[in-house]
Amino acid sequence: MAVYQATATPKPKAKETPKPKASLANGVQSLSIQETPKVKSKNIDVISEFKKIKRKNAANFVVIGHVDAGKSTLMGRLLFDLKAVDQRTMDKYRKEAENIGKGSFAFAWVLDQGTEERARGVTIDIATNKFETDKTSFTILDAPGHRDFVPNMIAGASQADFAVLVIDASTGNFESGLRGQTKEHALLVRSIGVQRIIVAVNKMDVAEWSHARFEEIRQQMSGFLTGAGFQPKNISFVPCSGLGGDNILRRSSDPRSSWYKGATLVEDLDLSEPSTHALDKPLRMTINDVFRGGVQNPLSVSGRLESGTVQIGEQVMIMPSGEKAQIRSLEVDDEPQEWAVAGQNVVLNLTDIDAIHIKTGDALCSATAPIRNVREFKAKILAFDHLTPMNIDVHKGRLHVPGRISQLVATLDKASGAVLKKKPKIVQPGTVVRVVVQLDEAVPLEAPSRVVLRSNGETVAAGLVE
Ligand code: GDP
């Protein structure tokens, strides 16, 4: 690729490159001008560079559970104890919270930045937050508990390496949570491919650190989670109090908790296996956000690289538009870098493309091995509701597209995947089924993408593209 470097124009220009008049004589030359990238690629062997660096494991996780289980408080506590928020900010939150008579919400505010949400005391938006232990740098993809916000949760869960399920252990609340979102969320994350789950049995202070209560919850949840397809070795339980900070970073000093000898939440988080992201596969990223109009970077996109690598100067393709763009510069976890690999959260600053060709939910991919646009796909899904051939919306991360289940191909055994019944007319909630989905528009989708099907504002199924 030395040719590229030799002919590259030294600086990116805002103006259009003047196109030479077409003639036989300059035909070849005009071709080479158009092929000339505006930003030099150093043609770095990214995979071998990446392997040379001894770096921390990076993990993204989603926080799920019933509304009021204490998700925001727990995560706020985690960020505070691990020094991702400073004491002064925390004191400020505490004072503000006390002023409106909601003192205990101070921790939750670490995650909820908007004053409107604060006044109402509910988490409404997806917030991404980072913290580090000695071994791992984590990104929390926060998930709110309210029903209407399931699409946000899906966006988070579709990028998660594992899930933290927060359960309110206090009397009656665990049971009502089970009837509420606890099970729905757990099923949802499993069916879109999340394999590991850490159950934070929270508010143990309210449950008086009762060992019996913890065991009761552990048994019920283990039964449910293994039934949902989580392997026992991938399920763990930590009794804790987010509010008091017990068994989060430091071990609980409450004498009533002395029966617990297991890991703290942070120790458990650190056990997450290094993610085995596909580095040698073609570049894929779902665009989470598009920002326009910066002076330095007129067009930038953010997201998490699902597979492959990317570097400055590389040409990429945006789907479904099929337009090419060039990487002018990039950031990994807010730091400027020359390259990035699968699993990392990046901002890519693009050049050579018009903003009209890019939107949230689009796929950014290798220009040489692009993802294909499809109008129909097969998927193995878990039904949350009765399913028949019906209209649905397909969600993949931030991608939403209307379509329909055109065929129920067969119901499948949950554990083995073996065909149980061909061409059912209708399937019951809780069934795993292979379906054919047709879409109103062609969109970039390929196996094994995690997808969620919704109908009338309810999640009706979730699963993997085959
Ligand atoms: P979310 O809806 O799951 O995010 O729940 P929040 O974090 O907003 O917490 C809901 C309520 O439970 C708030 O009043 C919290 O102060 C309270 N809470 C959260 N964690 C604990 C805990 O460990 N112990 C006690 N006693 N209360 C808690």
Side-chain angles (χ1 to χ4, degrees), residues 163-215:
V164 173
L165 170 62
V166 183
I167 284 182
D168 181 342
S170 54
T171 321
N173 287 352
F174 165 60
E175 289 72 12
S176 62
L178 268 191
R179 287 191 297 275
Q181 285 117 32
T182 307
K183 284 186 170 175
E184 187 194 357
H185 283 182
L187 274 172
L188 207 149
V189 295
R190 180 63 199 99
S191 55
I192 58 178
V194 174
Q195 306 214 0
R196 176 163 187 248
I197 192 160
I198 299 174
V199 185
V201 182
N202 193 33
K203 304 198 191 181
M204 280 302 287
D205 53 320
V206 185
E208 300 185 330
W209 292 96
S210 156
H211 190 182
R213 180 65 172 163
F214 175 73
E215 278 305 320

Side-chain angles (χ1 to χ4, degrees), residues 66-73 104-105 202-203 205-206 241-243:
H66 196 61
V67 64
D68 281 347
K71 299 181 291 298
S72 313
T73 305
S104 69
F105 276 112
N202 193 33
K203 304 198 191 181
D205 53 320
V206 185
S241 163
L243 197 59

Side-chain angles (χ1 to χ4, degrees), residues 132-150:
E132 291 197 2
T133 62
D134 291 342
K135 281 170 69 181
T136 319
S137 52
F138 290 99
T139 302
I140 307 173
L141 307 155
D142 187 37
H146 195 283
R147 280 192 90 79
D148 293 355
F149 304 124
V150 166

